[in-house]
Each structure stands twice: as structure tokens, then as C-alpha cells.
């Protein structure tokens, strides 16, 4: 068995449990994910103590707790084994005692991103690692909010969101040449809620929507829940294939285009001004609503030029979506959308019906970061750190035989062709304690893929890199199922 990951004790996500309890939670997670299956012998006390750098007494204490909680069974002279855990009373023997294996689908990555696997063990992670997140900004903002004279948080939050933040966001959009007022902005719980509100408002089961191919799985999940027909617009190394979009629009008459513009997830490509202009012409010709997902906007250094659909359209046909979950700590969940005032009013009503309101205290904290100058400094620090990591990380993966889709000019993503089915690689990674992002979850049809998204900021762990190189060689040597990527 591969060495289990060691939980860190520093950073914004530092665990507060004892070492024994950390081992308990690590074991429970792997039992629930069926990495350790019923009847399987657990690592020996001696081996686990060496792997995790703790004493044997700590491991014994952890195993004893797992026995007491019904996860393990102690067998004298043989060690500790995973106990059969029936979901219903034992007398009903015909009922399955173990849950079915979870497929690698649209929700697979999201579930496992929240499973507690350390960021440095997660090259498929969709956020910055703790050392680059804006944890200190959030703490400073919370302190500032808590000492605000006359602060009252007992009143009902506004459906549109915290008014000073919306005014600040209007100024932020103005810097990107997108004219708006605070009445044209609606705050949301991250970009996922913003897209979900738009999808609920405009689409019905059976409608056709065009998304990127590849595209972020959370967007695909929102569309799947509505029951719409999803078409994929291919990407090239220079951005969206506009010619393919024109053909899709002419043939299928889609109702909506959902597109990730600067620093497309997962390829890292930018949108050129020429492509942006053509996309808007196609949208107008076929009366498509355009949703521009620009959640990576603040990863763009000032010297990197990228076009935005909303700046050309000025929020007539385009609905602009932004977020701070990627640049700040993921749990802050502050996003927003900008559109016509009439549409924002309708979406605010839908927001009230589905989630009432977004947490004002989170919005106040983000407002403090944006208005006190600390957010700009944080962004510059992130840019510098990622710029230093990008080229060495790409070269390291290319030395393993991976082929990069392109060389992104900013951000933390890379899109690589491995030559093998990456769902197999991701499943093996999870068993070893590593989180990968296989290409299938970025496919509108969840097509098996040789591609994989890698986060350069969470791809520096030597043990993970060694495991990756070794496993890739083994899979290639075993003639693992090779598929043709789209």
C-alpha cells in the first residue's frame, strides 16, 4: 500500500484534533470510500507509525477508538481488520452490508475536494493551497466587521446583497470597461449559485445549451439537474472554436451559451477580442442568452490582455458572473452576477425563493478586503507565486510523458494529455491518498478521456510526484486502456 498522506499542522486549514483523532478520521474516510474494504487488514501499528511520523502508542490509541466506534475489529496476534458494517439490523441478512462504489462523475471531484485530503496531496484541487489563500485577509476583515460601531446583524439580509459591496463591485466592473450600477448586481453564494439562478430562470427541460468542451463539472451538474440538452463547443490552444460554435448554433438553435472566458477551466486559454466579437454576433443571430463565467479574472496580471464579452455587450445580452472563492478562502462563498436591472430584479426574487439571502457577514468581510487595499496586494503575491511555479511544474510533468494543451499565461491550471484513461489513474490516486481531476468529469457527455487537469500550486509534493511517475509508467506498461481524446 502507498504511504498515507500526513496531515499538516500549519496553515489556514490546520486540523485541531489530536494526532490519534487525525488518524481516526483518515481511516474512517478511506473505509467509507471503500479504499479499506470489509475484511481487509489495516496497516500494522509499526508501519503506520513510521509512515505518519508518530509513536506506536498514538496508532494503538487511534485503532482502539476505531474498534470502539465499530469500524475495526481487533484479532489477537493478527492485527486490526475492517469490520463488516450492516446498514440495517443483522437479522436482515439479504440487505447489502456495504455501499456501492461511487462512480467518477460530475460530483466525484467536488465530493472528494471536500473530503479533507490535504491540498499538497491534491494535484486535481480546484483552489489555491492554504499558503496562498487570503486567510489573513479574512481574519482581518472579520475583526474589522466585529468592531464596527452600531453593527447590527440581526436584521434580515437584503435579497440583492450587501449594498456597499454591490457598489464596490460596480466600480470593479468599471475598471474592466463594463458599465453597471449597483441595481444591476446580485450577490450570490459563489458562482455556482449565480449560474444555477440563471439556468432556473431561462431554461426548461429539453432546451439546448452550448458549453465548452471541456467545461467545469459544476456548470454541467447545474444543467443536468434541469434536464437540458448539452452540446460541447471545442477548444483549441488559442481559445474557443468559434467556427464550431457557429455550426452548433445554426444546426441546434441553442437557447443559451455558457462560456468561461479569461483563463478557461480547465485549459487555461484566454478569449481574444476577435473571438469575443464573433461569439456575440453568433449569439445575436440565433437569439442566445450568453452567460460569461469570469471567476478567474483576478488571476490575470495587469500585463496580460484578455477580452470580455460583457465589455463589448455592456450587459444587454450577456450575464456576467464573478466570484472571490478562488482568490480567497474557498469557504467564504461570495460571488455575484451582473445583468440588466430588470433581470437582476427577477433573479433576486428567485434567490429569495430558493435560498432566501446570502450571508451578509461574509459579504462585509469581502468588502473590507476590497476597500482597504489588502486584496490588491494579495493578488500580486499570488501572481508572483504562480508565475514562479508554472514553467518548472509544466516541465516536470512533460518529463513524465504528459503533453500540455497549451502554456497558460496566468492562473494555476494546466490541461495535460496522459495517453491513458485518466479515470483509472484517478481511482488509483484516491486509493493512495491523492486527489486527481480526470478528463471525463470535464466532458459534457462524461466521455472517457486521456486528459487531466493539474493544479500547479498543489503539485509540488515529492511523494505525490514520485507516485505519479511510477503509476503512469505502470499503467502504460500494462497496456492500460488507451482511448482517443476528442
Amino acid at each position: 500500500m502507498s504511504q498515507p498522506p500526513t496531515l499538516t499542522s500549519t496553515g489556514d486549514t490546520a486540523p485541531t484534533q489530536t494526532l490519534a483523532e487525525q488518524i481516526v478520521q483518515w481511516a474512517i474516510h478511506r473505509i467509507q470510500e471503500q479504499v479499506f474494504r470489509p475484511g481487509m487488514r489495516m496497516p500494522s501499528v509499526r508501519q503506520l507509525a513510521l509512515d505518519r511520523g508518530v509513536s506506536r502508542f498514538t496508532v494503538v490509541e487511534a485503532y482502539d477508538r476505531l474498534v470502539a466506534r465499530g469500524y475495526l475489529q481487533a484479532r489477537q496476534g493478527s492485527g486490526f481488520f475492517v469490520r463488516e458494517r450492516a446498514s440495517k439490523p443483522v437479522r436482515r441478512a439479504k440487505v447489502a452490508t456495504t455501499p456501492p462504489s461511487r462512480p467518477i462523475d460530475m460530483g466525484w471531484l467536488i465530493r472528494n475536494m471536500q473530503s479533507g485530503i490535504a491540498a499538497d496531496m491534491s494535484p486535481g484541487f480546484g483552489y489555491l493551497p492554504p499558503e496562498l489563500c487570503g486567510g489573513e485577509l479574512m481574519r482581518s476583515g472579520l475583526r474589522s466587521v466585529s468592531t464596527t460601531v452600531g453593527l447590527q446583524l440581526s436584521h434580515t439580509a437584503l435579497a440583492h446583497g450587501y449594498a456597499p459591496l454591490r457598489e464596490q463591485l460596480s466600480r470593479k466592473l468599471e475598471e474592466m470597461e463594463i458599465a453597471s450600477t449597483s441595481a444591476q448586481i446580485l450577490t450570490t453564494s459563489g458562482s455556482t449559485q449565480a449560474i444555477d439562478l440563471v439556468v432556473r430562470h431561462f431554461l426548461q427541460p429539453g432546451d439546448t445549451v452550448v458549453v465548452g468542451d471541456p467545461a467545469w463539472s459544476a456548470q454541467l451538474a447545474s444543467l443536468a439537474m434541469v434536464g437540458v440538452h448539452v452540446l460541447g463547443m471545442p477548444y483549441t490552444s488559442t481559445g474557443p472554436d468559434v467556427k464550431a460554435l457557429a455550426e452548433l448554433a445554426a444546426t441546434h438553435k441553442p437557447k443559451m451559451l455558457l462560456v468561461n472566458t479569461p483563463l478557461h477551466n480547465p485549459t487555461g486559454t484566454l478569449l481574444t477580442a476577435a473571438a469575443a466579437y464573433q461569439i456575440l454576433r453568433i449569439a445575436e443571430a440565433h437569439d442566445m442568452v450568453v452567460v460569461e463565467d469570469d471567476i478567474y479574472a483576478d488571476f490575470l496580471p495587469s500585463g496580460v490582455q484578455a477580452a470580455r464579452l460583457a465589455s463589448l455587450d455592456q450587459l444587454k445580452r450577456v450575464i456576467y458572473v464573478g466570484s472571490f472563492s478562488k482568490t480567497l478562502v474557498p469557504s467564504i462563498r461570495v460571488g455575484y452576477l451582473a445583468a440588466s436591472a430588470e433581470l437582476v430584479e427577477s433573479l433576486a426574487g428567485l434567490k429569495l425563493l430558493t435560498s432566501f439571502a446570502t450571508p451578509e457577514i461574509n459579504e462585509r468581510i469581502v468588502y473590507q478586503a476590497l476597500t482597504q487595499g489588502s486584496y490588491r496586494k494579495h493578488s500580486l503575491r499570488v501572481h508572483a507565486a504562480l508565475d514562479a511555479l508554472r514553467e518548472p511544474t509544466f516541465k516536470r510533468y512533460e518529463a513524465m510523458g504528459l503533453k500540455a494543451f497549451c502554456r497558460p499565461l496566468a492562473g494555476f491550471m494546466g490541461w495535460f494529455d496522459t495517453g491513458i484513461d485518466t479515470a483509472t489513474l484517478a481511482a488509483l490516486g484516491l486509493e493512495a491518498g491523492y486527489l486527481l481531476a480526470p478528463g471525463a468529469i470535464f466532458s459534457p457527455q462524461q466521455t472517457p478521456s486521456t486528459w487531466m487537469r493539474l493544479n500547479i500550486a498543489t503539485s509540488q509534493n515529492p511523494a505525490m510526484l514520485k507516485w505519479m511517475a511510477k503509476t503512469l509508467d505502470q499503467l502504460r506498461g500494462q497496456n492500460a486502456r488507451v482511448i482517443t481524446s476528442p
Side-chain angles (χ1 to χ4, degrees):
M1 173 174 291
S2 300
Q3 179 175 330
T6 303
L7 291 178
T8 58
S9 57
T10 60
D12 295 325
T13 58
T16 57
Q17 303 106 326
T18 63
L19 292 174
E21 188 60 27
Q22 290 178 48
I23 295 175
V24 168
Q25 295 304 318
W26 166 80
I28 289 175
H29 169 66
R30 277 148 185 78
I31 290 170
Q32 291 173 340
E33 292 294 330
Q34 292 194 322
V35 176
F36 298 146
R37 297 176 180 273
M40 182 182 292
R41 185 179 186 275
M42 294 291 289
S44 70
V45 171
R46 177 179 177 277
Q47 184 60 50
L48 192 57
L50 288 172
D51 289 342
R52 300 188 69 86
V54 298
S55 71
R56 297 185 189 183
F57 297 106
T58 298
V59 176
V60 170
E61 181 182 349
Y63 278 176
D64 283 342
R65 292 185 187 184
L66 288 162
V67 170
R69 297 179 194 182
Y71 287 96
L72 299 185
Q73 180 182 40
R75 298 180 188 173
Q76 189 169 0
S78 299
F80 293 85
F81 293 78
V82 180
R83 182 190 294 273
E84 295 278 353
R85 292 174 60 82
S87 57
K88 292 191 176 183
V90 176
R91 65 177 180 274
R92 302 185 66 176
K94 292 184 179 181
V95 177
T97 58
T98 57
S101 298
R102 290 178 173 174
I104 294 181
D105 58 11
M106 292 178 183
W108 182 90
L109 180 62
I110 298 172
R111 285 195 302 268
N112 285 290
M113 277 170 52
Q114 298 173 337
S115 65
I117 299 177
D120 69 338
M121 300 292 185
S122 305
F125 200 51
Y127 299 96
L128 292 173
E131 62 270 18
L132 288 181
C133 282
E136 185 52 45
L137 272 72
M138 298 298 93
R139 286 188 287 269
S140 175
L142 183 58
R143 288 192 295 268
S144 178
V145 169
S146 66
T147 57
T148 300
V149 176
L151 175 65
Q152 292 184 353
L153 293 176
S154 59
H155 65 272
T156 302
L158 298 175
H160 290 74
Y162 183 50
L165 175 60
R166 290 188 290 119
E167 292 169 0
Q168 181 65 23
L169 291 174
S170 178
R171 289 189 285 270
K172 179 179 176 66
L173 291 178
E174 185 178 357
E175 294 176 359
M176 294 186 281
E177 300 182 350
I178 303 171
S180 67
T181 65
S182 60
Q184 292 179 265
I185 295 174
L186 178 72
T187 62
T188 58
S189 293
S191 63
T192 301
Q193 187 191 31
I195 292 172
D196 181 63
L197 290 173
V198 172
V199 167
R200 288 171 182 262
H201 178 82
F202 283 101
L203 301 179
Q204 299 292 329
D207 286 341
T208 298
V209 179
V210 176
V211 299
D213 188 2
W216 171 222
S217 56
Q219 297 174 353
L220 300 176
S222 294
L223 296 171
M225 287 188 289
V226 175
V228 300
H229 180 47
V230 179
L231 299 174
M233 173 182 63
Y235 268 71
T236 71
S237 60
T238 58
D241 186 336
V242 180
K243 182 178 179 181
L245 173 63
E247 293 173 354
L248 289 170
T251 303
H252 301 279
K253 308 300 181 185
K255 194 169 183 179
M256 179 181 290
L257 168 65
L258 175 53
V259 60
N260 193 196
T261 44
L263 298 176
H264 168 253
N265 181 9
T267 66
T269 56
L270 300 176
L271 181 68
T272 65
Y277 178 72
Q278 293 177 64
I279 287 172
L280 289 175
R281 287 189 60 184
I282 295 167
E284 183 176 2
H286 298 280
D287 195 25
M288 285 192 294
V289 176
V290 179
V291 182
E292 181 174 26
D293 179 358
D294 193 17
I295 63 174
Y296 300 98
D298 292 337
F299 286 96
L300 280 176
S302 57
V304 177
Q305 299 298 317
R308 288 183 172 84
L309 297 169
S311 66
L312 294 175
D313 173 80
Q314 292 301 309
L315 304 178
K316 296 182 180 68
R317 182 177 299 277
V318 174
I319 301 167
Y320 181 88
V321 175
S323 175
F324 297 97
S325 298
K326 299 294 184 180
T327 49
L328 297 173
V329 292
S331 59
I332 196 68
R333 305 307 303 161
V334 173
Y336 62 97
L337 62 82
S340 68
E342 295 78 12
L343 178 57
V344 165
E345 191 66 32
S346 296
L347 294 176
L350 184 57
K351 176 183 169 183
L352 275 174
L353 292 174
T354 55
S355 62
F356 195 64
T358 42
E360 184 178 307
I361 191 167
N362 289 2
E363 295 174 357
R364 284 175 174 265
I365 292 171
V366 170
Y367 173 73
Q368 291 292 327
L370 293 177
T371 56
Q372 293 182 356
S374 51
Y375 184 73
R376 185 186 67 83
K377 295 176 183 178
H378 165 69
S379 297
L380 292 174
R381 182 173 71 90
V382 170
H383 296 165
L386 295 178
D387 286 346
L389 290 172
R390 190 170 299 107
E391 190 60 24
T393 304
F394 269 68
K395 288 183 176 178
R396 189 177 299 123
Y397 278 121
E398 287 171 339
M400 296 182 192
L402 277 60
K403 297 179 181 178
F405 185 79
C406 68
R407 276 291 200 279
L409 297 178
F412 57 80
M413 289 175 290
W415 187 234
F416 291 89
D417 189 356
T418 66
I420 59 171
D421 184 354
T422 48
T424 301
L425 183 64
L428 292 173
L430 193 60
E431 289 186 15
Y434 304 120
L435 177 63
L436 305 179
I441 63 176
F442 298 93
S443 166
Q445 285 75 40
Q446 293 186 255
T447 305
S449 174
T450 63
W451 292 88
M452 177 169 60
R453 188 191 71 183
L454 292 166
N455 183 335
I456 64 170
T458 60
S459 294
Q460 307 302 315
N461 184 283
M464 183 279 298
L465 291 168
K466 182 179 180 180
W467 174 88
M468 177 86 74
K470 180 181 178 181
T471 305
L472 285 168
D473 286 344
Q474 288 176 342
L475 290 175
R476 290 164 182 154
Q478 294 169 4
N479 295 317
R481 185 162 67 100
V482 177
I483 57 180
T484 302
S485 294

